[in-house]
Amino acid sequence: MYLYNSNLKSMELLSQQDKKLVRAHDLTFKPFLSEEKILKRVAELGHQITNDFKGKKLVFIGILNGAFVFLADLVRACDLSCEITFIKLSSYKGLKSKGKVTTLIGMDIDLKGRDVIVVEDIVDTGKTLYQFLKELKTLEPTSVKLASLLVKPEALQYEIPVDYKGFDIPNKFVIGYGLDYNGEGRNLKSIYQLAE
Ligand code: IMP
Protein backbone atom coordinates (compact mmCIF):
# COMPACT_ATOMS: atom_id res chain seq x y z
CA MET A 1 0.00 0.00 0.00
CA TYR A 2 2.84 2.42 0.70
CA LEU A 3 4.75 4.07 -2.11
CA TYR A 4 8.08 5.36 -0.91
CA ASN A 5 9.45 8.54 -2.42
CA SER A 6 11.88 7.25 -5.01
CA ASN A 7 14.14 10.30 -4.56
CA LEU A 8 15.04 9.13 -1.06
CA LYS A 9 17.66 6.47 -0.30
CA SER A 10 16.59 3.70 2.06
CA MET A 11 18.62 5.02 5.03
CA GLU A 12 17.06 8.44 4.61
CA LEU A 13 13.67 6.79 4.51
CA LEU A 14 14.20 5.23 7.90
CA SER A 15 15.01 8.59 9.47
CA GLN A 16 12.36 10.50 7.53
CA GLN A 17 9.31 8.28 7.95
CA ASP A 18 7.10 11.34 8.24
CA LYS A 19 8.26 12.76 4.90
CA LYS A 20 7.31 9.74 2.77
CA LEU A 21 4.56 9.69 0.18
CA VAL A 22 1.99 6.95 0.62
CA ARG A 23 -0.15 5.22 -1.94
CA ALA A 24 -3.66 3.90 -1.39
CA HIS A 25 -5.25 2.07 -4.32
CA ASP A 26 -4.67 4.29 -7.40
CA LEU A 27 -3.84 7.52 -5.53
CA THR A 28 -0.76 9.11 -3.98
CA PHE A 29 -0.87 11.14 -0.77
CA LYS A 30 1.67 13.52 0.77
CA PRO A 31 2.34 14.24 4.47
CA PHE A 32 -0.05 16.82 5.89
CA LEU A 33 -0.48 16.64 9.71
CA SER A 34 2.20 14.89 11.74
CA GLU A 35 1.43 12.41 14.51
CA GLU A 36 3.05 14.78 17.01
CA LYS A 37 0.86 17.71 15.98
CA ILE A 38 -2.30 15.58 16.07
CA LEU A 39 -1.58 14.12 19.51
CA LYS A 40 -0.77 17.54 20.95
CA ARG A 41 -4.10 18.91 19.75
CA VAL A 42 -6.01 15.81 20.96
CA ALA A 43 -4.46 16.27 24.42
CA GLU A 44 -5.66 19.90 24.44
CA LEU A 45 -9.20 18.83 23.47
CA GLY A 46 -9.18 16.16 26.21
CA HIS A 47 -8.15 18.77 28.76
CA GLN A 48 -10.91 21.11 27.60
CA ILE A 49 -13.57 18.35 27.82
CA THR A 50 -12.32 17.33 31.28
CA ASN A 51 -12.75 20.92 32.51
CA ASP A 52 -16.15 21.38 30.86
CA PHE A 53 -17.64 18.16 32.29
CA LYS A 54 -16.02 17.95 35.77
CA GLY A 55 -17.99 15.57 38.01
CA LYS A 56 -20.25 14.39 35.17
CA LYS A 57 -20.42 10.97 33.56
CA LEU A 58 -20.22 11.38 29.80
CA VAL A 59 -21.33 9.17 26.96
CA PHE A 60 -18.99 9.27 23.95
CA ILE A 61 -20.54 8.14 20.66
CA GLY A 62 -17.94 7.36 18.01
CA ILE A 63 -19.01 7.41 14.38
CA LEU A 64 -17.57 4.34 12.68
CA ASN A 65 -15.36 3.59 10.97
CA GLY A 66 -13.28 6.75 10.74
CA ALA A 67 -13.52 8.01 14.33
CA PHE A 68 -12.10 4.93 16.05
CA VAL A 69 -8.51 6.21 16.27
CA PHE A 70 -9.42 9.77 17.29
CA LEU A 71 -11.92 8.48 19.87
CA ALA A 72 -9.38 6.07 21.38
CA ASP A 73 -6.87 8.89 21.90
CA LEU A 74 -9.46 11.48 22.93
CA VAL A 75 -11.12 9.41 25.69
CA ARG A 76 -7.70 8.57 27.14
CA ALA A 77 -6.88 12.30 27.16
CA CYS A 78 -10.03 12.93 29.24
CA ASP A 79 -9.71 12.58 33.01
CA LEU A 80 -13.34 11.71 33.82
CA SER A 81 -15.58 8.69 33.99
CA CYS A 82 -17.42 7.86 30.79
CA GLU A 83 -19.18 5.26 28.72
CA ILE A 84 -18.29 4.68 25.08
CA THR A 85 -20.39 3.39 22.24
CA PHE A 86 -20.22 3.44 18.45
CA ILE A 87 -22.66 3.99 15.65
CA LYS A 88 -22.15 3.28 12.00
CA LEU A 89 -23.48 5.67 9.36
CA SER A 90 -22.48 5.95 5.76
CA SER A 91 -22.72 8.62 3.10
CA TYR A 92 -19.35 8.10 1.45
CA LYS A 93 -17.86 5.96 -1.28
CA GLY A 94 -14.43 6.67 -2.76
CA LEU A 95 -13.70 10.40 -2.78
CA LYS A 96 -17.28 11.67 -2.92
CA SER A 97 -20.27 11.80 -0.60
CA LYS A 98 -23.21 9.76 -1.95
CA GLY A 99 -25.48 12.34 -0.35
CA LYS A 100 -27.62 9.69 1.34
CA VAL A 101 -26.99 8.81 4.99
CA THR A 102 -27.69 5.24 6.08
CA THR A 103 -27.59 3.98 9.69
CA LEU A 104 -25.82 0.63 9.66
CA ILE A 105 -25.32 -0.07 13.38
CA GLY A 106 -27.62 1.44 16.01
CA MET A 107 -27.36 2.85 19.53
CA ASP A 108 -27.00 0.49 22.51
CA ILE A 109 -27.10 2.98 25.45
CA ASP A 110 -30.19 4.76 26.80
CA LEU A 111 -29.29 8.42 26.25
CA LYS A 112 -32.23 9.94 28.12
CA GLY A 113 -30.86 12.48 30.62
CA ARG A 114 -27.23 11.87 29.62
CA ASP A 115 -24.48 14.28 28.56
CA VAL A 116 -23.28 13.12 25.16
CA ILE A 117 -20.24 13.89 23.01
CA VAL A 118 -20.44 12.70 19.42
CA VAL A 119 -16.98 11.97 18.03
CA GLU A 120 -16.37 12.25 14.30
CA ASP A 121 -13.16 12.05 12.28
CA ILE A 122 -14.02 14.77 9.77
CA VAL A 123 -16.88 17.11 8.94
CA ASP A 124 -16.99 17.56 5.17
CA THR A 125 -20.41 18.63 3.80
CA GLY A 126 -21.88 18.08 7.28
CA LYS A 127 -24.73 16.00 5.94
CA THR A 128 -23.89 12.85 7.93
CA LEU A 129 -23.86 14.71 11.23
CA TYR A 130 -26.77 17.00 10.48
CA GLN A 131 -29.09 14.03 10.08
CA PHE A 132 -27.60 12.04 12.94
CA LEU A 133 -27.72 14.94 15.43
CA LYS A 134 -31.37 15.49 14.58
CA GLU A 135 -32.14 11.82 15.31
CA LEU A 136 -30.05 11.91 18.49
CA LYS A 137 -32.10 14.75 19.99
CA THR A 138 -35.24 12.59 19.83
CA LEU A 139 -33.53 10.26 22.37
CA GLU A 140 -33.74 13.14 24.93
CA PRO A 141 -30.13 13.49 26.11
CA THR A 142 -29.49 16.40 28.55
CA SER A 143 -26.80 17.81 26.27
CA VAL A 144 -25.13 16.95 22.96
CA LYS A 145 -21.70 18.27 21.98
CA LEU A 146 -19.67 17.44 18.92
CA ALA A 147 -15.96 16.67 18.67
CA SER A 148 -14.39 16.42 15.23
CA LEU A 149 -10.69 16.08 14.56
CA LEU A 150 -10.97 17.79 11.17
CA VAL A 151 -13.37 20.24 9.54
CA LYS A 152 -13.35 21.30 5.87
CA PRO A 153 -15.01 24.75 6.12
CA GLU A 154 -15.09 25.24 2.32
CA ALA A 155 -17.10 22.02 1.86
CA LEU A 156 -19.70 22.67 4.59
CA GLN A 157 -23.30 22.71 3.37
CA TYR A 158 -25.04 22.33 6.73
CA GLU A 159 -24.76 24.34 9.92
CA ILE A 160 -22.88 22.04 12.27
CA PRO A 161 -21.69 23.40 15.62
CA VAL A 162 -18.33 21.72 16.27
CA ASP A 163 -17.69 22.26 19.99
CA TYR A 164 -14.32 20.50 20.09
CA LYS A 165 -12.44 20.90 16.83
CA GLY A 166 -8.94 19.66 16.07
CA PHE A 167 -8.09 21.46 12.84
CA ASP A 168 -9.72 23.34 9.96
CA ILE A 169 -8.28 21.95 6.73
CA PRO A 170 -8.55 22.80 3.00
CA ASN A 171 -11.13 21.04 0.86
CA LYS A 172 -8.79 18.23 -0.23
CA PHE A 173 -9.11 14.51 0.40
CA VAL A 174 -7.06 13.18 3.34
CA ILE A 175 -6.27 9.75 4.76
CA GLY A 176 -4.64 8.39 7.92
CA TYR A 177 -5.36 8.42 11.67
CA GLY A 178 -8.62 6.54 11.03
CA LEU A 179 -9.53 8.16 7.71
CA ASP A 180 -9.56 5.99 4.61
CA TYR A 181 -9.73 5.99 0.86
CA ASN A 182 -11.93 3.03 -0.09
CA GLY A 183 -10.84 1.14 3.02
CA GLU A 184 -7.11 1.88 2.90
CA GLY A 185 -5.00 4.25 4.97
CA ARG A 186 -6.78 4.11 8.32
CA ASN A 187 -3.75 2.73 10.17
CA LEU A 188 -1.36 5.54 9.19
CA LYS A 189 -0.20 7.39 12.30
CA SER A 190 -0.28 10.82 10.70
CA ILE A 191 -2.58 12.44 8.15
CA TYR A 192 -1.79 12.59 4.42
CA GLN A 193 -3.33 14.80 1.76
CA LEU A 194 -4.08 13.85 -1.84
CA ALA A 195 -1.04 14.86 -3.91
CA GLU A 196 -1.73 17.03 -6.97
P1 IMP B 1 -20.09 14.55 5.28
O1 IMP B 1 -21.42 13.91 5.55
O2 IMP B 1 -20.03 15.07 3.88
O3 IMP B 1 -19.73 15.61 6.31
O4 IMP B 1 -19.01 13.42 5.32
C1 IMP B 1 -18.45 12.95 6.51
C2 IMP B 1 -17.82 11.60 6.30
O5 IMP B 1 -17.23 11.50 5.01
C3 IMP B 1 -16.67 11.40 7.27
O6 IMP B 1 -17.09 10.75 8.44
C4 IMP B 1 -15.70 10.55 6.49
O7 IMP B 1 -16.01 9.19 6.66
C5 IMP B 1 -15.95 10.91 5.04
N1 IMP B 1 -14.96 11.89 4.55
C6 IMP B 1 -15.16 13.19 4.25
N2 IMP B 1 -14.04 13.78 3.83
C7 IMP B 1 -13.08 12.83 3.85
C8 IMP B 1 -11.67 12.82 3.54
O8 IMP B 1 -11.05 13.82 3.15
N3 IMP B 1 -11.05 11.64 3.73
C9 IMP B 1 -11.65 10.50 4.15
N4 IMP B 1 -12.96 10.47 4.46
C10 IMP B 1 -13.67 11.62 4.31
Side-chain angles (χ1 to χ4, degrees):
M1 165 185 156
Y2 305 122
L3 174 78
Y4 291 105
N5 185 337
S6 56
N7 295 328
L8 295 175
K9 294 193 190 89
S10 57
M11 282 309 289
E12 284 171 319
L13 266 177
L14 289 174
S15 60
Q16 297 189 35
Q17 283 290 305
D18 250 14
K19 299 214 166 71
K20 73 189 180 193
L21 297 175
V22 301
R23 191 155 173 89
H25 297 291
D26 52 328
L27 299 178
T28 303
F29 294 81
K30 59 186 180 190
F32 181 58
L33 285 172
S34 69
E35 181 185 13
E36 190 189 12
K37 205 165 168 184
I38 296 167
L39 293 181
K40 183 169 175 281
R41 185 68 191 124
V42 173
E44 287 167 1
L45 294 177
H47 192 67
Q48 209 181 325
I49 291 171
T50 305
N51 284 336
D52 292 352
F53 288 91
K54 255 190 199 118
K56 296 195 173 150
K57 196 170 167 185
L58 273 174
V59 180
F60 286 95
I61 303 175
I63 313 247
L64 290 171
N65 293 330
F68 78 105
V69 179
F70 176 41
L71 183 136
D73 285 340
L74 184 65
V75 293
R76 287 177 296 169
C78 292
D79 186 13
L80 38 76
S81 77
C82 66
E83 288 173 69
I84 299 164
T85 189
F86 289 92
I87 186 156
K88 186 156 183 164
L89 311 164
S90 177
S91 76
Y92 244 72
K93 199 163 184 2
L95 300 178
K96 284 256 176 309
S97 174
K98 286 184 288 160
K100 183 169 163 282
V101 179
T102 346
T103 306
L104 303 170
I105 295 177
M107 193 73 60
D108 60 358
I109 293 182
D110 182 4
L111 296 182
K112 192 166 179 171
R114 303 298 304 269
D115 292 299
V116 173
I117 297 190
V118 175
V119 182
E120 176 66 301
D121 51 357
I122 185 165
V123 179
D124 184 23
T125 64
K127 182 168 179 121
T128 309
L129 279 171
Y130 183 79
Q131 297 201 357
F132 177 62
L133 292 174
K134 231 168 46 182
E135 275 179 40
L136 201 60
K137 286 188 183 141
T138 67
L139 303 176
E140 301 177 48
T142 300
S143 69
V144 177
K145 302 279 181 202
L146 173 63
S148 183
L149 181 71
L150 305 174
V151 177
K152 288 179 180 167
E154 297 156 36
L156 266 180
Q157 292 174 19
Y158 295 79
E159 215 173 295
I160 303 286
V162 184
D163 306 282
Y164 304 102
K165 173 166 67 179
F167 306 91
D168 277 330
I169 63 163
N171 191 10
K172 286 191 179 160
F173 201 79
V174 289
I175 59 168
Y177 197 73
L179 291 140
D180 75 309
Y181 166 50
N182 276 349
E184 288 195 356
R186 293 194 196 280
N187 62 324
L188 295 164
K189 289 183 180 150
S190 50
I191 293 178
Y192 292 75
Q193 187 183 62
L194 187 60
E196 297 302 325

